[in-house]
Amino acid sequence: MKFFKVLLILILSINFVHGSYIQYSGISYISQNKDIKSIFPNSIKLESSLRGLVYEHLNKNKSLNPELQLGVSETFRDGSYSIIVALDNESISSIYLNRIGSDDKCQRTFSLSTQTIVFNTKEQQIVSIKPNAARRLHFDDPRDGSCDYRNKKLELLRFAEMFYGVEIQKKDYESFLSKNEDEIIEMIKNESVDSDLYIGTKSVLTNVINEILSADLNALSNTNFFVGVDDVVLSEFVSDQMSGKKDISENYYFTDPLFGDFQHQSYKVWVGQEFSKWFSDTFNYPLIPYVKGKALGNDIPLKFADSDEILNLRLPSLDFGFVIKIKGFKKVKLDESKLREAYAWAAFSSIEFHNVGIKKLTEIDLKNVLTAEVNKGDGVDDWDNFNTSFNRIMKDYISNIGVYDKKWLSKSSKMPAKDFKKHVNLIKKNIRLDDD
C-alpha cells in the first residue's frame, strides 16, 4: 500500500509539471456541523465501499477523460482543478397512511442528494456545481398504531440500495438483516457490481460518475461567466402552510424529525437543485444551484470523514440569476362518488430573472394543478402531491424556454404569448444560451 501511494504521488507530480489536470478527490460532506456522523450516519458507513467502487470504475474508464487524475482526498490541493463528490443530504421522513379495506401503512421516504463540485485549488474558487438527488418510498407496517419506531440496520440497507441501484424484495430482507452491517454492505455491493447496477438508472452513483468522466478541463478553466439560482423565497404565508399552521398539514419531507420544525433551508436547497437539474437536462447548460452555506456567506464548508480539516470553498459571484418565489398551495375536492374522491393539488409561484445586484429584468407568475382520484377514506400524502406539482412548474417552465407550447402557457400563466416570447428571448440573450 505504501509503495502504491508513493507511485501515485510521483505520477501526480509528473502530470503537474507537464500540464494541468482535474484531480478526483473523493467523497466529502457539506455541513456547518463538525459532527457529520450525526447528519450522515448511513453514508459514512457506506463511504469506504463507495469510495473504492467509484475509484475502480473511474480507473477502468480513464480513457474517457485523459485529463482526470485519480488520487486520495488528502492531496486535493495538488491539481490545478479538483473534483469532489459532496453529500449534502441524507434523510428519512415518515407519514401514517390510513387505508380503508386494507392494513394501514407507514410511508417512509428515503432521500439522498449530492453536489459534484469542481474548484480551482489555488484560489479555492468553485467553477462548477452539478446537483444530483434521489428518493425512494417504502411502506412498512405500523407498530402500536405509530410510525415512530426505527430499525437502523434496515435503514442502512435501504440507503445502500439507493447508492448501488439495487432493489431488494421484502421477502429477502431477513437474509441481509441477519448479517452485521459490514456484511450487508458487501452483499449489496457485490450484487450491484455483478450486474453493473451501480451505473444503472436506479443508482445515485450513475450521474455522479458520468459527471466526473465528462468534466472538461478546457471549458472549466475558461469559465468566468456564472448563471445560477440566486435565491429561493418563501412568503410568510407559505412558511406557515409548510409548518402546518394553515389548512394543510406540515410538509413532513422537510420537517426536522426530532423537533418538528419546518426546515426552510433544506426546502430551498431542494428547489434550487431541482431547477438546476431541469435546466441542465434541457439545455446542457450548468447553473450554480442554491446551496447550503449561501445564507451564511459565499462559502461552502466541506468536511472529509477521515480528516478534521474543513475546506471552505468560495461560491462564484453570479452574473445573472433566477429568483424562485413560492407563493402558496391549495387542495380542492373536485368530485366524489360512493367509493372515490377526486382532488386537485395546486402550486403557485413566480420566477424572476435579474442581473445580479443591478436590476430585475423580467418575471412570470406560474401555477400547476395536479389531479388524482383516491379511495374514499384513504389517507393521502398531500405534500407528495404539492411537491410534485411545484416541481412540475419548474420543469415545464424550463421546457418551454426551449420549445414554447401555447397550451401550457394558457394553463400555467396569465402572461400573453408575445410577452412570454420576450421573456424567453431576454433570458437566452443575457445568459448566452444558443437557440440551436
Side-chain angles (χ1 to χ4, degrees), residues 60-214:
K60 284 192 298 185
N61 293 274
K62 180 71 174 58
S63 60
L64 297 177
N65 191 345
E67 296 168 335
L68 182 68
Q69 298 295 331
L70 305 176
V72 292
S73 61
E74 290 84 355
T75 64
F76 61 80
R77 286 191 179 88
D78 290 348
S80 57
Y81 288 87
S82 188
I83 188 165
I84 286 177
V85 181
L87 277 78
D88 70 357
N89 177 59
E90 173 197 307
S91 64
I92 306 168
S93 52
S94 300
I95 187 174
Y96 192 101
L97 290 180
N98 296 303
R99 293 189 172 184
I100 303 300
S102 60
D103 294 335
D104 295 349
K105 292 293 179 182
C106 297
Q107 177 182 295
R108 303 196 194 279
T109 304
F110 285 66
S111 301
L112 285 169
S113 63
T114 69
Q115 310 274 0
T116 305
I117 301 175
V118 182
F119 64 97
N120 181 306
T121 56
K122 181 179 179 181
E123 300 175 1
Q124 294 194 17
Q125 162 82 48
I126 291 171
V127 296
S128 173
I129 304 180
K130 294 195 176 176
N132 179 37
R135 69 176 189 173
R136 282 196 189 183
L137 298 180
H138 294 274
F139 296 89
D140 300 323
D141 295 327
R143 291 184 184 174
D144 300 322
S146 172
C147 297
D148 293 339
Y149 68 93
R150 301 284 296 273
N151 184 329
K152 292 186 178 180
K153 193 181 284 190
L154 178 60
E155 290 172 359
L156 174 63
L157 182 150
R158 286 173 171 173
F159 277 113
E161 286 182 275
M162 293 180 70
F163 276 112
Y164 286 114
V166 175
E167 288 190 327
I168 299 168
Q169 300 298 314
K170 274 194 172 183
K171 62 183 178 62
D172 299 323
Y173 274 2
E174 190 54 41
S175 63
F176 289 85
L177 297 178
S178 62
K179 310 294 184 180
N180 64 41
E181 291 183 342
D182 289 339
E183 289 171 332
I184 290 173
I185 294 170
E186 189 65 18
M187 288 172 67
I188 294 175
K189 176 183 176 181
N190 290 340
E191 185 173 333
S192 174
V193 171
D194 288 345
S195 302
D196 287 335
L197 297 175
Y198 69 95
I199 50 173
T201 57
K202 296 179 180 178
S203 169
V204 174
L205 298 177
T206 302
N207 287 339
V208 170
I209 288 172
N210 289 338
E211 287 159 5
I212 295 171
L213 288 173
S214 62

Side-chain angles (χ1 to χ4, degrees), residues 314-333:
R314 292 188 301 110
L315 282 165
S317 297
L318 299 181
D319 295 282
F320 292 90
F322 294 91
V323 178
I324 305 167
K325 303 173 185 177
I326 297 91
K327 294 188 170 182
F329 303 90
K330 188 174 183 179
K331 179 183 177 182
V332 177
K333 181 187 286 188

Side-chain angles (χ1 to χ4, degrees), residues 230 318-319 354-359:
D230 191 38
L318 299 181
D319 295 282
H354 64 196
N355 190 336
V356 177
I358 300 177
K359 66 176 181 178

